[in-house]
Amino acid sequence: MLIRVNLNGELREADVWPGASLLFALREDFGVRGSKNACEQGECGSCSVWLDGDLVCACLVLAAQAHEREVRTVESLSGTGEEGLHPVQEAFLEAGAVQCGFCTPGLVVAVADLLDHDPSPSEAAVREALSGNLCRCTGYQKIMDAVSLAAERKRESDW
Amino acid sequence: MEVLIPRGLEEALEWKADHPEAVPIAGGTDLMVDLNFDRSRPEVMIDVSRLSELNTWRREDGNLFLGAGLTYTRALHELPEMRALAQASRSVGSPQIRNRGTIGGNLGTASPAGDAVPVLDAHDGEVVLGAAGDRTRSVSWNEFFLGPKRNAMAPDELILGAQWRDARGPQSFSKVGTRNAMVIAVANLCLVMDEDSRTVRVALGSVGPTVLRSQEAEAFAAEALSRAGAWDDPSAPLPPSDLEGFAERVSGAATPIDDVRGTAGYRRHACRVLAGRALSWALAERVAEAQLA
């Protein structure tokens, strides 16, 4: 079936299998591969995107449900900071919050979403906000450090 | 396979009448997992996630109506005064899941572990169903849930929402799982104390084929409060043996099984602990409120 999606600010069309997830459509039909496919059951958060501004797991959205809606992926975050990186991405690099990198796109999206809603989150709020994103490498502490750094920068400059 | 995308509720109900086999999909947090793993492949699906008529809640004469499309995130933020509902909503999944998962999805899936269900049941709530031609009917919680993942919907119906009467008094939702997020309950419990009818209602999830109420424990608690004079005087303490008697009876109502999430024995124990805590919190809250007043 034909779906039309406002994808990262651009109107795009794709012919998708009606049972396909938004994640599958993004990666295979639209060729936008920043959102990662790991668990396909909403457990890991690696496919976190915004659907009409809400943080969701793209694997749990039927592609058809995104028809005539706005989808923003991790790709929408690039290009606003130095070297084309978003401040959250820069904070992840500086804090060493990236190891294998597979969870990183989902975490970056989830952190950007958190800081949009709450620029000064408590540690408990950060842990709750990131409870739907799994990382099997870092042990999370450096991710926590990256969030603190990103929050600090956001308060200073309001990117 | 085909996905129907109705523009409004009326159209959705008409299409459901034309395609009674169509599987409604709202937040997709259960259904998409089955689709992704090819465990089910419905011939027709109907997207109810964009029906604005269902993405709503309202209060009418002391009744609360929760539209089927209300997400847990919205329930949590927009209805904090419905404490048990807010606590249950917060315990669901993760932010990503709460942004998509809906009250109606919990009712349609009819899992005995659904976190909104004990809240509905402990409020003596009803599920509101709609069909084409302006036909609606309300089904009480104990007639709606028929068994694990089975409910009383007719093939031409869609879930419009849930409704119950606000109860004046303490209430809580609690849940046992292996972490604070992303868990399906090993056991969950909702306790509602209704000061006006002088009743205590308690519903248990994930410990039977459907969410259960323990009428014996409820009657025992109401009588214990009467004996202690606590309905009139919140500071009148209940003897510890009454708290234990309540917890024991709640646990006795559970009919759990061993499964991947826990053993039957552990679940009975969890019910006892959750019930004792929930009643203690309710009593403590009444004392604190009386002191403030």
Side-chain angles (χ1 to χ4, degrees):
Chain A
M1 66 183 289
L2 200 66
I3 60 166
R4 192 167 50 244
V5 179
N6 180 330
L7 177 55
N8 296 330
E10 197 185 329
L11 270 183
R12 302 274 304 268
E13 277 188 357
D15 191 11
V16 303
W17 177 60
S21 68
L22 174 60
L23 176 61
F24 187 91
L26 286 172
R27 293 180 57 84
E28 307 300 329
D29 297 312
F30 289 113
V32 174
R33 298 195 175 86
S35 313
K36 298 299 174 223
N37 182 1
C39 76
E40 294 193 288
Q41 52 187 308
E43 291 277 343
C44 75
S46 298
C47 65
S48 297
V49 300
W50 286 279
L51 176 65
D52 281 353
D54 292 329
L55 183 72
V56 304
C57 292
C59 72
L60 296 184
V61 177
L62 194 63
Q65 291 183 303
H67 176 58
E68 295 191 336
R69 292 194 166 196
E70 189 189 292
V71 175
R72 275 196 301 132
T73 66
V74 67
E75 282 87 349
S76 72
L77 294 179
S78 60
T80 51
E82 273 175 44
E83 297 176 33
L85 291 180
H86 185 272
V88 172
Q89 292 168 319
E90 286 179 342
F92 266 64
L93 279 180
E94 281 177 45
V98 179
Q99 284 189 31
C100 90
F102 202 83
C103 70
T104 308
L107 271 159
V108 165
V109 167
V111 172
D113 184 74
L114 166 67
L115 297 181
D116 280 345
H117 291 104
D118 181 359
S120 303
S122 65
E123 186 180 325
V126 175
R127 287 182 185 276
E128 184 162 352
L130 302 187
S131 61
N133 293 76
L134 296 180
C135 170
R136 300 289 78 170
C137 303
T138 62
Y140 299 101
Q141 191 47 52
K142 291 194 173 179
I143 293 171
M144 298 296 293
D145 296 344
V147 180
S148 302
L149 189 60
E152 216 172 282
R153 302 250 169 91
K154 185 174 173 80
R155 284 195 297 274
E156 282 164 9
S157 66
D158 195 30
W159 63 64
Chain B
M1 205 173 157
E2 188 187 0
V3 182
L4 307 174
I5 306 179
R7 281 154 296 188
L9 179 60
E10 205 180 315
E11 193 167 63
L13 293 170
E14 280 165 17
W15 290 357
K16 186 73 173 113
D18 293 343
H19 302 272
E21 77 285 9
V23 177
I25 180 165
T29 54
D30 277 316
L31 266 178
M32 284 306 296
V33 180
D34 286 345
L35 245 66
N36 289 339
F37 288 89
D38 213 4
R39 286 185 211 131
S40 84
R41 193 175 282 197
E43 280 199 11
V44 187
M45 300 186 83
I46 182 161
D47 176 23
V48 294
S49 68
R50 59 186 88 204
L51 301 178
S52 57
E53 298 95 329
L54 305 185
N55 295 344
T56 181
W57 61 268
R58 61 181 173 270
R59 277 217 163 77
E60 284 165 347
D61 313 324
N63 278 314
L64 176 69
F65 174 82
L66 303 170
L70 194 71
T71 62
Y72 294 105
T73 297
R74 287 190 56 202
L76 179 56
H77 290 126
E78 296 174 29
L79 290 161
E81 71 281 11
M82 300 303 299
R83 286 148 298 158
L85 177 69
Q87 288 164 349
S89 299
R90 191 175 168 199
S91 83
V92 171
S94 62
Q96 288 92 327
I97 303 295
R98 294 194 285 273
N99 282 345
R100 285 296 284 170
T102 63
I103 307 283
N106 225 201
L107 303 173
T109 300
S111 160
D115 289 312
V117 180
V119 182
L120 173 85
D121 293 10
H123 280 91
D124 269 335
E126 297 175 328
V127 178
V128 186
L129 301 169
D134 271 337
R135 286 181 295 134
T136 61
R137 63 178 179 128
S138 299
V139 183
S140 70
W141 64 273
N142 54 342
E143 288 170 353
F144 182 76
F145 297 102
L146 304 177
K149 307 212 166 177
R150 287 195 302 121
N151 64 39
M153 280 171 80
D156 66 343
E157 287 178 320
L158 290 175
I159 299 173
L160 303 187
Q163 62 188 14
W164 62 68
R165 228 179 150 66
D166 273 349
R168 189 176 61 83
Q171 51 177 247
S172 66
F173 172 88
S174 43
K175 172 172 170 179
V176 174
T178 44
R179 54 179 284 226
N180 283 339
M182 289 310 303
V183 288
I184 299 173
V186 174
N188 60 17
L189 180 144
C190 180
L191 183 140
V192 171
M193 200 176 270
D194 188 334
E195 302 281 0
D196 296 317
S197 64
R198 298 196 162 186
T199 52
V200 177
R201 298 190 295 265
V202 61
L204 309 166
S206 217
V207 293
T210 62
V211 174
L212 307 164
R213 284 267 296 272
S214 172
Q215 273 143 354
E216 195 195 338
E218 293 176 0
F220 180 86
E223 279 162 29
L225 265 85
S226 292
R227 269 200 307 278
W231 286 117
D232 292 311
D233 175 11
S235 63
L238 245 63
S241 60
D242 279 350
L243 276 166
E244 284 159 24
F246 172 72
E248 199 56 48
R249 282 165 176 80
V250 170
S251 172
T255 57
I257 55 167
D258 293 336
D259 70 9
V260 287
R261 295 199 297 279
T263 63
Y266 178 75
R267 286 181 149 116
R268 274 191 209 95
H269 174 70
C271 288
R272 190 180 309 120
V273 173
L274 292 181
R277 285 183 190 170
L279 186 57
S280 306
W281 294 333
L283 296 172
E285 188 180 321
R286 294 172 85 240
V287 172
E289 286 214 349
Q291 281 169 350
L292 275 176

